[in-house]
Amino acid sequence: MKVSDLRGILQYVPRFREKIFVVEIDGDVIASKNFGNILLDLAVLRSLNIKVVLVHGAALQIEALAAQRGVAISNCDGTGVTDEATLQLSIEAAIQITNDIMQGLTSVDLRAAYANAIIAHPFGIRGGVDYLQTGKVERVDTHSLRLFLDEGIIPIIPPIGFDGEGKTFRVNSDSIAFEVAEALRATKIIYLMAGDGLCANGEIVRQLSIVETEEILKRRKLKANLASKLDYGAHACRNNIPRVHLLNGLVNEALLSEVFSHEGIGTMIYSNEYQQIRRVFKKDVRGVMALIRESVHNEELIRRTRTDIIARIDDFWVLELDRALVGCVALHCYPEEKKAELACLYVSKTHSDQGYGQKLMAFVERQAAEKGMKKIFALSTQAFSFFQQKGGYQEVTAAALPPERREKYKTSNRRSKILMKDVETAPRSERQRHG
């Protein structure tokens, strides 16, 4: 681990200390070789004073028990009809898994306890079908859960619930995780599944807003397990859970990599603005200078002092991911010539090749349009191909620069390539909105 990696992790510690994470683990992840590593990851979270509630599934184990006993089951994941035979296998599987988890947590010096915290009632009759012993969460016993958490004990919640008369129901673990997180006002729900989160064109989709998640659920046919987690994730964010993560629980260190990095390795659904471009404030100047330091050293960007940035602070913007600065850009306007300069465009190396440079470029081009500029230009010694290939800029001579900028160009001796393009007119409604 690099020192910079450790610093990156440490910035999250005060933010997450004493916060509640609800971690749901599917049955097939519990049965995998990586489960022992997940327990170690949970020990790391607890060492940082993060409170953890553990919810587990049991679908794989129920299917295995059914095959072993030669019993036909009506449903294994708690979303369909649960007949009496299936319920009995569900109870047996859940008891065994809960015991295995408690043994595993004890082996890594963590205290855990079975939590009978789910008050359930019948799922009922849907579409003319009686779901029998399938239940849904009526209420979460938050008092008992908080007692455990305040004592440093990890509550383990199986996919089973009871009604006021003591009747048992099979309840889907995804729904339990959602209901528990909402009741406890958790900071995160983390779903650990046997597979990646949402993928598109062979790549994992790293971040999704609530609206994007809901649109995907409408437009795409997804595997039931993935669709369930996305659906509950969107509901959770609608109900003020800031982040929901879908992770491949078969990947070693997936949990820590997701929690303690800006980009993560799974799919994250967020309820507020995870990614934003905003103006630079004085308190950001030191961070901007640190961000571009290596690029200045490599002569990609010109050196800017704190005084330089503050003097033109209204021209600077930063890209923020989860409250961390990962990119910056500046727009210097020359109103008399109706031209603007795109300057100081930089994205940290750890976030390169993810489209953030293009995002910042497009942003300042829109800003230039809103300010009534007709041309936008950039000077570059090493990134000129980026502007040409990604932005459609064309190389021009120094004569195309505004006189004031042309003089600075001549005295700099950097011999930067000069690239320019027409500014597309901003739509009227957009100009009014920002005006």
Side-chain angles (χ1 to χ4, degrees):
M1 177 180 286
K2 299 178 182 177
V3 172
S4 58
D5 295 335
L6 182 58
R7 288 171 179 161
I9 290 172
L10 290 176
Q11 68 176 294
Y12 289 97
V13 173
R15 194 187 310 176
F16 294 152
R17 186 180 291 122
E18 298 300 323
K19 296 297 190 294
I20 297 173
F21 289 6
V22 176
V23 180
E24 190 276 340
I25 310 179
D26 283 354
D28 36 10
V29 175
I30 294 170
S32 72
K33 294 179 180 179
N34 194 51
F35 182 60
N37 296 323
I38 293 172
L39 297 177
L40 291 172
D41 291 347
L42 294 176
V44 172
L45 297 184
R46 284 296 304 123
S47 72
L48 299 174
N49 290 324
I50 295 170
K51 299 179 178 180
V52 176
V53 177
L54 202 56
V55 178
H56 71 78
L60 179 73
Q61 288 78 1
I62 293 169
E63 286 186 321
L65 271 178
Q68 180 183 334
R69 307 274 175 83
V71 176
I73 56 174
S74 55
N75 175 258
C76 66
D77 65 2
T79 60
V81 175
T82 302
D83 59 21
E84 187 61 35
T86 303
L87 177 63
Q88 294 306 313
L89 290 178
S90 300
I91 295 170
E92 186 175 342
I95 291 172
Q96 184 61 58
I97 294 170
T98 299
N99 185 71
D100 291 345
I101 293 173
M102 290 180 67
Q103 282 185 337
L105 291 174
T106 302
S107 72
V108 292
D109 294 326
L110 294 176
R111 292 190 295 160
Y114 162 65
N116 177 16
I118 302 302
I119 295 86
H121 61 264
F123 194 79
I125 300 171
R126 301 291 176 92
V129 177
D130 189 342
Y131 279 63
L132 302 175
Q133 277 79 45
T134 297
K136 59 182 177 181
V137 179
E138 177 182 337
R139 181 170 58 85
V140 176
D141 183 359
T142 55
H143 178 69
S144 65
L145 292 178
R146 290 190 183 281
L147 287 175
F148 283 135
L149 293 172
D150 290 345
E151 292 297 322
I153 297 170
I154 296 179
I156 302 171
I157 304 177
I160 299 292
F162 303 90
D163 68 7
E165 298 177 350
K167 188 175 181 180
T168 308
F169 295 94
R170 166 74 164 106
V171 186
N172 176 260
S173 59
D174 293 345
S175 70
I176 290 177
F178 160 66
E179 297 285 355
V180 169
E182 183 183 15
L184 291 174
R185 298 180 182 177
T187 298
K188 291 181 184 292
I189 301 175
I190 301 172
Y191 287 114
L192 292 171
M193 52 196 288
D196 294 324
L198 181 69
C199 293
N201 301 317
E203 298 288 334
I204 298 173
V205 178
R206 299 297 184 192
Q207 301 100 27
L208 286 170
S209 67
I210 300 171
V211 173
E212 288 171 331
T213 305
E214 292 170 341
E215 283 298 311
I216 286 169
L217 287 166
K218 290 177 185 176
R219 291 187 285 105
R220 288 180 56 178
K221 186 171 179 60
L222 304 168
K223 290 182 178 179
N225 190 37
L226 175 59
S228 171
K229 288 171 170 56
L230 288 171
D231 189 27
Y232 281 113
H235 280 302
C237 290
R238 286 275 184 211
N239 286 275
N240 300 316
I241 305 300
R243 305 280 189 268
V244 177
H245 305 260
L246 279 62
L247 304 181
N248 189 336
L250 307 182
V251 175
N252 187 22
E253 297 183 353
L255 180 56
L256 298 182
S257 298
E258 179 74 11
V259 171
F260 297 116
S261 68
H262 301 312
E263 290 300 323
I265 67 167
T267 297
M268 181 186 74
I269 306 169
Y270 58 91
S271 61
N272 52 16
E273 194 54 56
Y274 167 76
Q275 178 189 119
Q276 64 171 332
I277 297 174
R278 62 167 177 81
R279 289 189 179 279
V280 169
F281 304 119
K282 283 187 178 180
K283 65 179 182 179
D284 300 316
V285 173
R286 187 187 298 258
V288 171
M289 294 179 67
L291 182 69
I292 65 175
R293 183 179 294 121
E294 183 179 350
S295 188
V296 171
H297 176 74
N298 294 334
E299 299 185 5
E300 297 170 317
L301 296 176
I302 63 170
R303 181 178 177 273
R304 291 171 172 82
T305 65
R306 176 182 171 82
T307 303
D308 293 334
I309 296 175
I310 290 177
R312 307 185 74 171
I313 198 165
D314 289 341
D315 292 357
F316 284 83
W317 301 80
V318 290
L319 172 64
E320 196 175 51
L321 293 184
D322 211 12
R323 296 190 284 179
L325 303 186
V326 299
C328 62
V329 70
L331 180 70
H332 306 312
C333 292
Y334 299 85
E336 291 185 6
E337 290 80 13
K338 299 291 183 183
K339 293 179 179 178
E341 179 181 5
L342 187 165
C344 199
L345 175 60
Y346 183 75
V347 175
S348 70
K349 291 291 190 288
T350 56
H351 295 83
S352 60
D353 299 323
Q354 296 181 46
Y356 295 132
Q358 289 172 264
K359 186 182 181 80
L360 286 165
M361 179 169 60
F363 174 82
V364 294
E365 288 174 1
R366 289 195 299 272
Q367 291 292 313
E370 290 171 21
K371 293 176 182 295
M373 302 295 107
K374 301 299 182 184
K375 301 276 188 181
I376 187 166
F377 63 89
L379 278 65
S380 177
T381 58
Q382 297 173 43
F384 45 84
S385 61
F386 168 80
F387 289 105
Q388 292 169 322
Q389 295 171 14
K390 304 296 185 181
Y393 287 73
Q394 301 292 325
E395 188 172 356
V396 297
T397 65
L401 294 174
E404 178 186 345
R405 188 66 182 88
R406 187 163 58 244
E407 288 303 312
K408 290 182 180 179
Y409 173 76
K410 289 179 179 178
T411 58
S412 71
N413 294 319
R414 283 172 56 84
R415 300 182 64 184
S416 304
K417 288 186 181 291
I418 305 167
L419 305 122
M420 187 173 288
K421 68 185 282 189
D422 293 334
V423 172
E424 295 182 11
T425 304
R428 180 178 178 81
S429 60
E430 190 169 331
R431 291 200 302 269
Q432 290 174 338
R433 186 166 64 249
H434 289 85

